[in-house]
Each structure stands twice: as structure tokens, then as C-alpha cells.
Amino acid sequence: MFRRKFTVGSRQKAVSRWQFPLFFLTINLFLLTINFCNADNSALYTEANELFKKAEYPAAIEKYELVLKSNFVSGELYYNLGNAYFKTNQMPMAILCYERAKKLMPGDDDVDFNLSIANLKIVDKIEVMPRLFFYRWYDAAANMFGCDGWAITGVFSLLIAMLLFVLFRITEAQGLRKLFFYCGLLLLVFALKSFWFANIQYKAATGENTAIIFTPTLNVKSSPAVNGTNLFVLHEGTKVQLLDKVGDWSKIKLSDGNLGWVEISSFVVI
């Protein structure tokens, strides 16, 4: 029994001697792989940008799509790809890319402007239901930064708030104590609001509840069935909200409030 325990212990020690070299070798190989992939993506992205500048838009689209297939995603990449599709008059794809860029770069003026121009070139002109002014202000505030920006802002605000509360505890002057306390309290509230906005932006960036119609002419049904009553017609490039799913059908909602059912194959999720 003792020898068995000793033998097992010897094997554990032998493994422990190799664990760290193998661990660091694995990490280094992983980092090298990432660097090589990033280098390849960077070269492809640069090449695509050069092709776009030369007005070789189909070739640029091919390079941009290759970068996307390597699981590299960024708002700038989708924005440039959207511009290339726009130049080749592929409006549904352009709108899809602009919408994806908007999810990653909320509040970006260039993305919003190009998206509005692309929407003018599609058939459907859906009126947006008016919203109360404080909802518009709230959305504008949330879209000032992306998820990462709000998260960083929240962390810094929280750290400064903690520092102010420490100063409040150690300071004897009554006026300074009040100043530190109320400033720390305000920053704490701001930090919590920043984290809330970061959560909103994260859900917006990762959510799959909106889509772009890709069928040239689409009859929207009253029920999830081919023989359902036709309610209205949509055309390619129109943005819809996804509400529910039944089999191969999805319930959609337009920005003007109209509801209906369409086949899942008729749209691409943003």
C-alpha cells in the first residue's frame, strides 16, 4: 500500500514538473496563432480597402467577406462592406451591413447617414410611430457609447466614487465631507446608470430580434401558413422586428405597428 501511494505521488510530481512548460507552450502557441490570424485579417482588410479606393467593388466585397468568415467582426468592417454593396446597388445587403455596423457602433453619424440614404433607395417607406420626447432622449443617451465604452465609463466612475467616499471618511472639515459625499453619491448613481446602458448596448449588439427582408416581393400573412390571408406586401431591404416563431414562420412587426407572419427563409437576421 505504501509503495502504491509513493508511486502515485512520484507520477504526480513528474506531471507537475511538465505542467508549467506545457502550459506556457500551449499559451504561446495560442497567442502566435492569434497573431498570425490577426496579421492575415489585417492584410486582407487593407487589401479590401485598397480595392474599394480603386472602385473595384466586387473584389473588395470578396475580401471583406473573407475577413468576416475568419470570425473577425467590427463596426468599421461592416460599414465598409455596406459601402461596397451600396456601390454595386445591392441595397438589401448594404442595409444589412449598415444595421450590423450600427449595432456595434451606436450613434455613429456616418453609419446613420449612409443607412438613411440606402433606405431611400428601397420600395417600402415605412413610417416610424412617434415616440414621446423622453424616450428619444433616453435612446440618445444610451447610444452615446457602445457596450465597451459604457462599461469603461462605469468602472472609472465607480472607482472615483469609492475614492471620494474614502476621502469623506478621513476628512474632518465639514464642508469638504459634504462635498465628497454628494459628489461620490452622484458618481455612484452615474456608474450604475453606465452599467445599465452597457447592458442595453450588449443586448442590442448580441440580440437577434430584427431582420432585413431579402425576398423581392413578399406577401405578409395573417397566420403562419401558406394559405393564410394576405395582409400587405413587403419588398427587399425592409427592416422588421421579430416577435415569435412557429415552425418555418416568424411573426414580424413593422416600425408603423403593422403585424403579420412571413417565412423564415424570406429574411436575414441582423
Side-chain angles (χ1 to χ4, degrees):
M1 291 293 293
F2 176 77
R3 290 185 63 181
R4 284 187 182 177
K5 289 183 179 179
F6 180 76
T7 303
V8 173
S10 299
R11 288 181 180 174
Q12 288 176 344
K13 288 182 179 180
V15 171
S16 66
R17 275 204 305 267
W18 288 98
Q19 271 180 339
F20 289 108
L22 287 174
F23 173 75
F24 285 116
L25 178 61
T26 304
I27 292 297
N28 286 330
L29 288 174
F30 177 71
L31 293 175
L32 284 173
T33 303
I34 291 177
N35 288 333
F36 280 127
C37 291
N38 287 337
D40 291 341
N41 289 333
S42 178
L44 275 175
Y45 186 65
T46 302
E47 188 177 351
N49 289 338
E50 291 301 320
L51 289 169
F52 184 90
K53 291 177 183 177
K54 296 176 184 177
E56 298 179 18
Y57 303 121
I61 289 172
E62 184 179 350
K63 297 296 181 181
Y64 286 133
E65 292 286 2
L66 284 175
V67 178
L68 283 175
K69 288 179 181 177
S70 66
N71 294 324
F72 176 82
V73 175
S74 73
E76 290 81 5
L77 173 57
Y78 276 123
Y79 173 72
N80 290 347
L81 180 57
N83 289 339
Y85 277 121
F86 184 91
K87 291 293 187 178
T88 56
N89 203 35
Q90 300 182 63
M91 291 307 144
M93 284 301 303
I95 292 172
L96 177 67
C97 291
Y98 288 144
E99 289 286 356
R100 288 176 174 174
K102 188 175 180 178
K103 291 176 73 171
L104 297 171
M105 300 189 301
D108 187 280
D109 292 336
D110 292 333
V111 175
D112 290 339
F113 178 78
N114 286 14
L115 178 58
S116 65
I117 297 299
N119 280 323
L120 291 176
K121 293 183 175 293
I122 62 175
V123 175
D124 298 326
K125 305 294 187 292
I126 310 298
E127 295 184 3
V128 180
M129 293 183 65
R131 303 181 68 196
L132 295 175
F133 68 92
F134 50 82
Y135 285 117
R136 296 196 299 269
W137 291 354
Y138 187 85
D139 290 341
N143 290 331
M144 286 179 62
F145 305 111
C147 175
D148 293 340
W150 277 119
I152 293 171
T153 301
V155 169
F156 275 105
S157 300
L158 184 60
L159 289 175
I160 297 173
M162 293 171 64
L163 176 61
L164 289 173
F165 284 128
V166 170
L167 292 174
F168 164 76
R169 294 285 296 177
I170 65 176
T171 302
E172 296 182 357
Q174 193 66 22
L176 287 176
R177 281 173 59 85
K178 288 183 178 180
L179 178 64
F180 292 147
F181 177 80
Y182 287 113
C183 287
L185 188 62
L186 287 174
L187 277 174
L188 178 61
V189 173
F190 182 73
L192 294 175
K193 200 65 178 178
S194 297
F195 292 136
W196 175 258
F197 283 153
N199 182 56
I200 291 175
Q201 293 300 337
Y202 175 77
K203 289 182 178 179
T206 58
E208 297 184 347
N209 59 346
T210 53
I212 301 299
I213 299 297
F214 268 73
T215 301
T217 302
L218 178 66
N219 289 314
V220 181
K221 304 288 186 176
S222 61
S223 60
V226 176
N227 57 359
T229 304
N230 293 334
L231 298 178
F232 51 90
V233 177
L234 291 179
H235 301 85
E236 58 182 2
T238 303
K239 181 180 179 180
V240 298
Q241 182 180 355
L242 307 178
L243 300 180
D244 197 6
K245 179 182 176 182
V246 175
D248 295 330
W249 294 79
S250 180
K251 187 176 184 180
I252 64 167
K253 181 179 180 181
L254 302 181
S255 56
D256 60 4
N258 283 326
L259 301 169
W261 291 86
V262 298
E263 290 185 280
I264 293 175
S265 59
S266 65
F267 61 77
V268 176
V269 176
I270 297 174

